[in-house]
Amino acid sequence: MPALTTYNTRIVSDWVDYNGHLRDAFYLLIFSYATDALMDCLGLDSDNREASGHSLFTLELHLNYLHEVKLDTEVQVRTQIIGHDHKRLHLYHSLHQVGDARELAGNEQMLLHVDLAGPHSAPFTDAVRQRLAALQAAQADLPPPAWIGRVIGLPAQK
């Protein structure tokens, strides 16, 4: 199975900056919508959140701007499950022009399953863990994304 397509959109004028490029904040908005779609796919949709009082919170993310994206470009987000444990989910979103394999931006995220009553961390339900495991197994042949595990920093001075 290839990476799961989780979101499609067209770049609109309100999202474009003075250089004619997608504004940096709107890359994250697009990836955020893709995370919402993945939550729906995993059974963590709004009905589940209301019934269980549980949701996903973002602990950390890294965003890499790889190529410019311009007004009216049709883009899609492809999502790969990197790993998960009983309450955390490590994922990678890549942004592509529809029909093109070239990655325009990459977004690595670590998410935490949270009981909103605390709020505090909580284990995934068995059903969600099974969906995560099935999705990760279906993507087992995908290579690891080139942009995961990166650290921001200046090279050491000599």
Side-chain angles (χ1 to χ4, degrees):
M1 171 187 199
L4 178 68
T5 299
T6 49
Y7 190 67
N8 290 283
T9 192
R10 183 181 59 81
I11 305 304
V12 297
S13 61
D14 287 347
W15 295 358
V16 175
D17 67 13
Y18 46 85
N19 291 317
H21 303 139
L22 182 62
R23 290 182 176 274
D24 54 357
F26 288 98
Y27 284 85
L28 187 53
L29 178 71
I30 291 168
F31 288 131
S32 183
Y33 286 143
T35 300
D36 289 350
L38 177 66
M39 289 174 65
D40 292 350
C41 177
L42 295 173
L44 296 170
D45 55 18
S46 59
D47 290 342
N48 176 276
R49 283 188 299 279
E50 192 172 309
S52 70
H54 292 178
S55 188
L56 287 178
F57 284 13
T58 305
L59 294 177
E60 182 175 356
L61 65 83
H62 297 191
L63 183 52
N64 290 283
Y65 305 97
L66 305 173
H67 299 282
E68 62 189 16
V69 179
K70 296 193 175 195
L71 179 65
D72 289 327
T73 304
E74 294 283 340
V75 296
Q76 66 182 197
V77 177
R78 301 172 192 164
T79 302
Q80 184 175 350
I81 304 300
I82 304 302
H84 61 83
D85 63 15
H86 68 285
K87 61 183 178 181
R88 291 176 298 179
L89 170 58
H90 183 195
L91 64 82
Y92 187 79
H93 294 306
S94 56
L95 183 69
H96 302 264
Q97 186 169 347
V98 171
D100 192 344
R102 182 174 73 152
E103 188 173 353
L104 302 171
N107 175 229
E108 180 180 15
Q109 296 187 16
M110 182 66 71
L111 306 174
L112 179 68
H113 190 241
V114 173
D115 180 342
L116 300 171
H120 55 82
S121 64
F124 290 116
T125 64
D126 288 340
V128 170
R129 271 196 309 275
Q130 289 171 3
R131 286 184 192 107
L132 279 168
L135 184 53
Q136 188 172 3
Q139 296 179 335
D141 291 340
L142 290 176
W147 296 95
I148 62 169
R150 298 178 55 85
V151 177
I152 296 174
L154 296 171
Q157 296 295 320
K158 293 181 182 183

